[in-house]
Amino acid sequence: MSEIIENTAQMQDLNEIMRIRREKLIELQNSGADPFRIVKYDVTHRTAEIVSQFEDLDGKRVSVAGRIMSKRDMGKSSFCDIQDRDGRIQLYVRINEVGEDKYTSFKKLDIGDLLGVSGTVFRTRMGEISIKIDDYVLLSKSLRPLPEKFHGLKDTDIRYRQRYLDLIVNPEVKKTFITRSKIISAIRRYMDDHDFLEVDTPILNTIAGGAAARPFITHHNTLDIDMYLRIAPELFLKRLIVGGLERVYELGRMFRNEGMDVKHNPEFTMMEIYQAYTDYHGMMELAENLISTVAREVLGTMKVNYQGQEIDLTPPWKRITMQEAVLMYAGVDFDKISSDEEARAIAREKGIQLEGNPVKGEVMSLLFEEFAEPQLIQPTFVMDYPVEISSLAKRKPDDPQLTERFEIFITGREFGNAYSELNDPLDQRERFLEQVRKREAGDEEANMMDEDFLTALEHGLPPTGGLGIGIDRLVMLLTDSYSIRDVLLFPTMKPKE
């Protein structure tokens, strides 16, 4: 009951504040000073630039713009802090500098208002770098108070739904997304410097393929066909390798109609890379060098702290086969298992809940996920996956039940997936047919038959290495963010009723 009373009082206070702010706006508009009629303001410097270059700017005139974050009235002079993208700076305004009318108007400004100011850089007697303003312009009137005025902005549901407020009042959140932008820029620089072409492939597909995932389905009215938001760009990118582009990558949004948790959002960012005339070993070298270089460029180090653990991204990374990992962490030696039935029996003994009748390779993968994956904290390449769970990867020449495939694991999470790409069109057709059989049996994540892709393979795909990296998970690692929602500006949320 006390919470209801408190919330009701807060709403009444909020409504009163909004009423007063709207009255201030009307007063401004009636006096010919409507802030919403301002179309531009010439900014000469940013706040962080003034602070970092104070010795050069001391006594110089500057113009800055930002949001008022605090105010302190002291009679005939006032202080306030304004915040732009890069930081905050203190403003000092005196009635003698701006005149009585402007000073009176300044005192009526509210926290949250957007202001453009011009004045002289100086340091106060307390040692704080500030701007002594001689003119200002109200650029936008804030009709709502910032959330910290009442209850702060710690509630994650509100933070994710109203990210604009999260960015205003939580500086560490803004820093995360600035770092995300720097990470993506560094990735592109690395790829461009290594002679890869950035390309764009369709987001709307007539066939959902390139990964084992449940797609989102929509309908194209003009063509009168169902279409799918892409779950991966793999099959299109390999067509480009057939066409002779040799080194391509795409960094963009993927869509998978699956569960949501701290590692998964239905809309996410991934990069896929394909390089002709190399294999999965070449992709391992590319992956560890790319990720470690990005960390060094953005953070200044290859050793990062994630949720209290130090992660060393310095190459070379550990390499282990899936079979070795299952033996090491689950105590099961698949060299000694001769049948699917025996594998299923061992899995049940280990407490694994089985759906249907998985074959030996699928059971090995289930044991790996349960027992080995959470133990892989430092960067590790897990290699040589069973063919049953690797429908687009090339078989190992010395063991056709396994494929030349690896996944990247860091902090017990998968960060990437790579193959020596299957370029045998006859083998690929058989694997597609097996996926179709699974789909017809009710597996909504199984691949569809893609005849056009098979036609491309029949023209000849050179030996090729392919790699996919989860960009959001990489950003989580490099910004020490626990949940994927903390690195997506607008994560998917269920609408409020």
Side-chain angles (χ1 to χ4, degrees), residues 299-327:
L299 303 181
T301 179
M302 293 186 187
K303 294 182 179 180
V304 301
N305 185 282
Y306 184 76
Q307 303 296 296
Q309 294 176 307
E310 183 179 82
I311 307 298
D312 189 353
L313 299 173
T314 307
W317 296 352
K318 181 179 179 180
R319 288 156 169 76
I320 186 173
T321 68
M322 176 179 280
Q323 189 165 321
E324 289 169 343
V326 170
L327 176 59

Side-chain angles (χ1 to χ4, degrees), residues 46-151:
R46 293 191 181 275
T47 57
E49 179 186 5
I50 294 170
V51 173
S52 65
Q53 300 179 22
F54 173 73
E55 299 302 326
D56 294 329
L57 293 174
D58 187 13
K60 302 287 179 60
R61 185 176 172 79
V62 297
S63 294
V64 300
R67 188 181 298 274
I68 298 175
M69 300 301 293
S70 67
K71 280 187 68 189
R72 303 172 296 283
D73 290 333
M74 303 177 68
K76 294 186 177 181
S77 64
S78 297
F79 290 93
C80 79
D81 292 332
I82 66 166
Q83 174 176 287
D84 63 11
R85 188 189 71 181
D86 297 340
R88 292 190 186 189
I89 197 164
Q90 179 175 266
L91 306 180
Y92 174 57
V93 56
R94 293 194 309 165
I95 190 171
N96 293 343
E97 296 287 340
V98 298
E100 185 174 348
D101 291 344
K102 275 225 156 186
Y103 185 72
T104 300
S105 297
F106 184 88
K107 293 177 70 173
K108 293 181 180 179
L109 296 176
D110 293 304
I111 291 173
D113 288 351
L114 286 155
L115 206 60
V117 304
S118 58
T120 305
V121 177
F122 78 111
R123 191 189 294 272
T124 68
R125 285 180 293 179
M126 300 297 292
E128 184 167 357
I129 296 171
S130 308
I131 302 173
K132 183 187 297 182
I133 68 173
D134 52 46
D135 197 13
Y136 72 88
V137 178
L138 179 60
L139 302 174
S140 184
K141 182 67 184 171
S142 175
L143 299 181
R144 287 178 176 266
L146 295 179
E148 60 188 343
K149 186 76 174 178
F150 294 99
H151 49 72

Side-chain angles (χ1 to χ4, degrees), residues 83-226:
Q83 174 176 287
D84 63 11
R85 188 189 71 181
D86 297 340
R88 292 190 186 189
I89 197 164
Q90 179 175 266
L91 306 180
Y92 174 57
V93 56
R94 293 194 309 165
I95 190 171
N96 293 343
E97 296 287 340
V98 298
E100 185 174 348
D101 291 344
K102 275 225 156 186
Y103 185 72
T104 300
S105 297
F106 184 88
K107 293 177 70 173
K108 293 181 180 179
L109 296 176
D110 293 304
I111 291 173
D113 288 351
L114 286 155
L115 206 60
V117 304
S118 58
T120 305
V121 177
F122 78 111
R123 191 189 294 272
T124 68
R125 285 180 293 179
M126 300 297 292
E128 184 167 357
I129 296 171
S130 308
I131 302 173
K132 183 187 297 182
I133 68 173
D134 52 46
D135 197 13
Y136 72 88
V137 178
L138 179 60
L139 302 174
S140 184
K141 182 67 184 171
S142 175
L143 299 181
R144 287 178 176 266
L146 295 179
E148 60 188 343
K149 186 76 174 178
F150 294 99
H151 49 72
L153 196 62
K154 304 302 181 186
D155 185 301
T156 54
D157 185 74
I158 296 175
R159 287 181 51 229
Y160 299 147
R161 291 182 188 277
Q162 296 180 293
R163 183 68 85 184
Y164 46 91
L165 294 179
D166 196 19
L167 291 167
I168 292 170
V169 302
N170 292 326
E172 69 280 4
V173 172
K174 185 185 293 184
K175 182 180 178 182
T176 291
F177 288 104
I178 291 173
T179 302
R180 179 188 174 106
S181 180
K182 291 178 179 178
I183 290 167
I184 291 174
S185 295
I187 289 171
R188 284 196 162 102
R189 272 194 301 277
Y190 184 95
M191 298 306 298
D192 296 344
D193 289 346
H194 287 76
D195 201 28
F196 284 84
L197 298 175
E198 184 173 11
V199 297
D200 296 304
T201 63
I203 292 176
L204 277 176
N205 298 164
T206 55
I207 293 174
R214 184 179 179 183
F216 287 95
I217 305 173
T218 186
H219 190 79
H220 192 291
N221 292 332
T222 301
L223 297 178
D224 194 24
I225 59 171
D226 284 342

Side-chain angles (χ1 to χ4, degrees), residues 49 65 94 105 109 251 282 388 405 468 479 488 496:
E49 179 186 5
R94 293 194 309 165
S105 297
L109 296 176
L251 198 160
E388 294 89 351
R405 174 186 174 188
T479 61
L488 298 175
K496 284 189 172 182

Side-chain angles (χ1 to χ4, degrees), residues 9 77 97 116 134 233 262 315 350 368 403 450 462 482:
S77 64
E97 296 287 340
D134 52 46
V262 295
K350 292 287 185 178
F368 170 79
T403 61
D450 191 334
Y482 176 70

